[in-house]
């Protein structure tokens, strides 16, 4: 979860330090209650009685990082099949039942997990609770449904990646950057693998990963533990425990030199994506990189936006992003969509100078405090939503444990100018990066091009 992506446009107005200005020091952890059923299913509850609604989320510790060569995309494909019903609930009936009761639901798959969520009136929380318990153990996987849904997923890949040159570029950069980690392949999977899926593959994936020992529930909203926990015990308690599969994966070896990828696709403008291998939430440097991200692209007063978009008008958009909450160490990205007629090599050189500036020149106190305020405010404001509170708790639970969520603000506050220089010198260097360049080619006769946003295929539905 990128807190800054949620509301960062609102945050550039914050200049004064937030600490001691009315922000909560208590954090979210002391308001959370946890229980674990005898079958291993953990339940995380945050009571929030501001409105009579609740978000009910079931998270499975399985994503594309749990797949293997030749079988990529199985987690996402199974997510689609989870809506094909059980003996009690017919195909596509899950969402209809939720909607008839005034709620909405959806699901998504990422590299690290698969999640199913329902937002509904608090007095009807029993509905998604019972539906999710049913499909955790009783999913009916039919050959006819599988063949239809496989075609749907293949078309989804065509639309989201094959016909989106920026997304295709990201996919190629990640395939070059990760040579050992399963982040090498996209969440949706390679097209050739999707075409070869069998129903037996899906059944095996469901049997292996969908059980209480490999899942947890997060609930945030107007419900009390005295009511909710017995309901969950009744619905999920009898499900066979199953096994939590091994989650250890081989670590990516240190990169020993720059890698470059050139992609030629039908597109309106060139694009540039640079990915540096960086640590995640398991060390303080991951939080330093959060601050670096804010310095580079945290709103319209950030360094990259001021220079490349506002002053020199070299790019359509430019962005930096850090992968703090990835289960395995990820990439720190700098990406740009270049204006037609501009020299992409010149822009890459100018971006390098901005990165080099981080390595050599201490960030000023005012600029550093502004970015810290932006990150802190974004983090706090995201907690106004029950849904995003649940998302935050769950993503920390996947990566390191939900209790670590309260470490975010203190870790950001500790970042110093020396930390930024040290981390930039260690990670944001040419030998540690993969550079991807999209070279646009004209469309085929009779075909028009629509502009597409720069996007990373890390989460898909």
């Amino acid at each position: 979860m990128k807190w800054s992506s949620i509301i960062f446009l609102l945050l550039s107005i914050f200049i004064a330090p937030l600490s001691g200005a009315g922000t909560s020091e208590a954090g979210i952890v002391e308001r959370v209650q946890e229980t674990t059923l005898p079958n291993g299913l953990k339940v995380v509850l945050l009571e929030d009685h501001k409105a009579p609604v609740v978000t009910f989320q079931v998270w499975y510790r399985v994503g594309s990082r749990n797949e293997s060569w030749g079988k990529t995309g199985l987690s996402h494909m199974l997510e689609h099949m989870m809506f094909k019903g059980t003996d009690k609930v017919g195909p596509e009936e899950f969402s209809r039942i939720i909607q008839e009761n005034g709620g909405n639901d959806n699901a998504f798959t990422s590299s690290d997990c698969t999640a199913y969520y329902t937002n509904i009136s608090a007095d009807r929380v029993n509905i998604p609770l019972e539906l999710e318990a049913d499909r955790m153990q009783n999913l009916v996987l039919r050959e006819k449904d599988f063949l239809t849904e496989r075609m749907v997923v293949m078309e989804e890949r065509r639309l989201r990646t094959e016909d989106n040159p920026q997304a295709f570029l990201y996919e190629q950069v990640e395939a070059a950057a990760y040579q050992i980690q399963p982040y090498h392949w996209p969440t949706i999977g390679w097209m050739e693998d999707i075409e070869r899926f069998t129903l037996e593959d899906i059944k095996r994936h469901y049997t292996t990963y969908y059980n209480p020992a490999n899942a947890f529930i997060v609930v945030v909203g107007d419900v009390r533990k005295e009511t909710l926990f017995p309901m969950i015990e009744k619905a999920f308690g009898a499900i066979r425990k199953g096994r939590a599969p091994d989650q250890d994966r081989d670590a990516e070896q240190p990169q020993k030199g720059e890698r470059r990828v050139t992609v030629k696709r039908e597109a309106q403008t060139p694009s540039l994506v640079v990915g540096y291998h960086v640590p995640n939430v398991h060390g303080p440097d991951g939080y330093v990189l959060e601050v670096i991200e804010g310095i580079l692209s945290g709103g319209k007063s950030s360094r990259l936006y001021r220079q490349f978009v506002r002053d020199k008008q070299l790019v359509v958009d430019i962005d930096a992003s850090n992968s703090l909450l990835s289960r395995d160490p990820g990439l720190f990205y700098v990406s740009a969509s270049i204006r037609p007629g501009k020299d992409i090599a010149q822009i890459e050189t100018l971006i390098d100078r901005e990165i080099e500036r981080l390595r050599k020149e201490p960030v000023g106190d005012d600029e550093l405090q502004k970015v810290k305020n932006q990150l802190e405010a974004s983090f706090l404001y995201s907690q106004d939503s029950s849904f995003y509170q649940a998302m935050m708790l769950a993503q920390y639970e996947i990566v390191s444990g939900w209790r670590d969520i309260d470490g975010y603000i203190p870790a950001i506050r500790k970042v110093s100018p020396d930390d930024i220089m040290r981390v930039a010198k260690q990670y944001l260097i040419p030998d540690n990066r993969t550079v991807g360049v999209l070279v646009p080619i004209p469309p085929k006769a009779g075909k028009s091009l629509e502009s597409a946003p720069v996007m990373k295929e890390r989460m898909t539905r």
Side-chain angles (χ1 to χ4, degrees):
M1 171 63 65
K2 303 301 298 177
W3 322 122
S4 56
S5 67
I6 300 172
I7 56 171
F8 89 102
L9 288 175
L10 300 175
L11 305 177
S12 59
I13 62 174
F14 286 88
I15 300 298
L18 282 172
S19 55
T23 56
S24 171
E25 297 284 352
I28 198 172
V29 169
E30 69 177 23
R31 296 187 287 126
V32 174
Q33 300 167 86
E34 176 192 304
T35 188
T36 302
L37 304 187
N39 61 11
L41 182 66
K42 181 185 288 189
V43 182
V44 178
L45 167 64
L46 175 57
E47 294 187 19
D48 183 349
H49 303 290
K50 288 183 293 188
V53 295
V54 66
T55 182
F56 184 90
Q57 305 185 358
V58 179
W59 291 67
Y60 294 92
R61 299 178 190 274
V62 55
S64 54
R65 73 183 292 279
N66 302 96
E67 297 158 1
S68 59
W69 294 94
K71 299 293 182 184
T72 65
L74 277 174
S75 302
H76 173 252
M77 181 70 193
L78 175 55
E79 176 216 308
H80 276 244
M81 295 299 293
M82 283 287 280
F83 291 87
K84 295 305 178 184
T86 65
D87 288 334
K88 295 180 181 176
V89 179
E92 311 301 339
E93 287 291 294
F94 188 106
S95 296
R96 184 188 62 78
I97 293 170
I98 296 297
Q99 291 165 14
E100 285 181 350
N101 284 276
N104 62 75
D105 73 293
N106 213 326
F108 59 84
T109 306
S110 75
S111 304
D112 300 331
C113 61
T114 307
Y116 302 84
Y117 61 86
T118 297
N119 304 313
I120 199 166
S121 174
D123 61 355
R124 302 191 180 194
V125 67
N126 64 299
I127 295 171
L129 191 155
E130 291 168 4
L131 289 170
E132 293 288 8
D134 181 32
R135 67 178 177 178
M136 180 182 285
Q137 57 187 323
N138 300 317
L139 184 66
V140 175
L141 293 164
R142 308 174 185 87
E143 183 75 18
K144 179 182 176 183
D145 294 334
F146 165 73
L147 294 175
T148 301
E149 208 60 30
R150 188 174 62 178
M151 297 296 291
V152 171
V153 172
M154 290 169 64
E155 183 60 19
E156 181 183 343
R157 180 179 163 84
R158 290 189 191 95
L159 290 173
R160 295 171 62 95
T161 307
E162 309 288 347
D163 293 339
N164 185 320
Q166 285 83 10
F168 190 84
L169 177 64
Y170 265 105
E171 190 175 89
Q172 294 301 305
V173 168
E174 293 188 339
Y178 298 113
Q179 298 188 336
I180 296 176
Q181 284 178 247
Y183 292 168
H184 172 83
W185 51 75
T187 300
I188 198 170
W190 302 120
M191 183 65 89
E192 293 77 8
D193 290 349
I194 300 171
E195 291 172 342
R196 290 194 295 261
F197 284 162
T198 67
L199 185 61
E200 288 305 312
D201 291 329
I202 301 301
K203 288 180 177 178
R204 192 178 307 111
H205 213 65
Y206 177 69
T207 302
T208 303
Y209 292 103
Y210 279 53
N211 61 63
N214 197 48
F216 62 92
I217 292 173
V218 179
V219 183
V220 178
D222 188 22
V223 61
R224 299 190 182 280
K225 72 171 185 178
E226 294 80 5
T227 304
L228 183 73
F229 286 172
M231 291 170 64
I232 291 178
E233 170 74 38
K234 181 180 179 181
F236 289 88
I239 302 176
R240 191 173 66 86
K241 180 177 183 178
R243 184 176 64 87
D246 177 24
Q247 293 284 358
D248 290 338
R249 295 294 180 273
D250 291 335
E252 195 71 27
Q253 297 302 304
Q255 192 165 322
K256 298 296 186 182
E258 181 181 274
R259 299 168 191 159
R260 299 189 77 86
V261 175
T262 300
V263 170
K264 295 182 178 179
R265 307 285 286 189
E266 297 176 0
Q268 290 183 325
T269 61
S271 293
L272 176 70
V273 172
V274 183
Y276 299 87
H277 288 283
V278 292
N280 56 9
V281 72
H282 292 293
D285 290 355
Y287 292 97
V288 178
L289 289 156
E290 288 283 283
V291 176
I292 291 177
E293 174 196 318
I295 292 168
L296 291 176
S297 69
K300 293 186 176 180
S301 63
S302 63
R303 293 184 178 185
L304 293 181
Y305 186 90
R306 286 203 319 266
Q307 179 182 176
F308 291 87
V309 179
R310 190 188 67 189
D311 296 343
K312 297 180 179 177
Q313 300 185 8
L314 295 171
V315 304
V316 178
D317 60 62
I318 191 164
D319 186 47
S321 62
N322 181 38
S323 54
L324 181 71
L325 292 179
S326 59
R327 187 179 177 103
D328 301 314
L331 296 178
F332 184 96
Y333 287 101
V334 178
S335 61
S337 293
I338 315 299
R339 284 186 177 275
K342 301 300 181 183
D343 183 357
I344 194 168
Q346 178 198 8
I347 293 169
E348 183 181 342
T349 299
L350 293 173
I351 291 175
D352 284 348
R353 289 178 185 170
E354 282 298 327
I355 301 295
E356 184 179 15
R357 183 181 168 196
L358 290 168
R359 297 196 294 265
K360 293 184 174 179
E361 180 182 315
V363 177
D365 291 341
D366 289 346
E367 183 180 16
L368 180 57
Q369 192 58 59
K370 180 199 71 175
V371 170
K372 289 182 178 180
N373 290 344
Q374 288 177 335
L375 292 170
E376 186 172 337
S378 178
F379 181 83
L380 293 172
Y381 279 122
S382 68
Q383 296 178 27
D384 283 347
S385 159
S386 297
F387 177 79
Y388 282 111
Q389 285 185 97
M391 291 284 289
M392 289 163 56
L393 288 165
Q395 291 212 322
Y396 267 94
E397 175 65 18
I398 289 287
V399 177
S400 64
W402 60 266
R403 289 178 175 81
D404 288 343
I405 195 170
D406 276 351
Y408 184 86
I409 288 178
I412 293 297
R413 288 177 178 171
K414 288 180 181 176
V415 175
S416 69
D418 286 344
D419 289 330
I420 292 171
M421 293 178 65
R422 174 183 57 78
V423 167
K425 288 176 182 176
Q426 184 170 353
Y427 303 106
L428 304 185
I429 56 176
D431 281 351
N432 187 43
R433 72 184 182 186
T434 301
V435 180
V437 176
L438 170 65
V439 177
I441 59 176
K444 296 176 182 176
K447 181 180 178 181
S448 62
L449 292 175
E450 296 182 358
S451 59
V454 177
M455 58 182 292
K456 298 181 286 295
E457 187 61 83
R458 272 272 158 261
M459 189 174 289
T460 186
R461 167 70 179 105

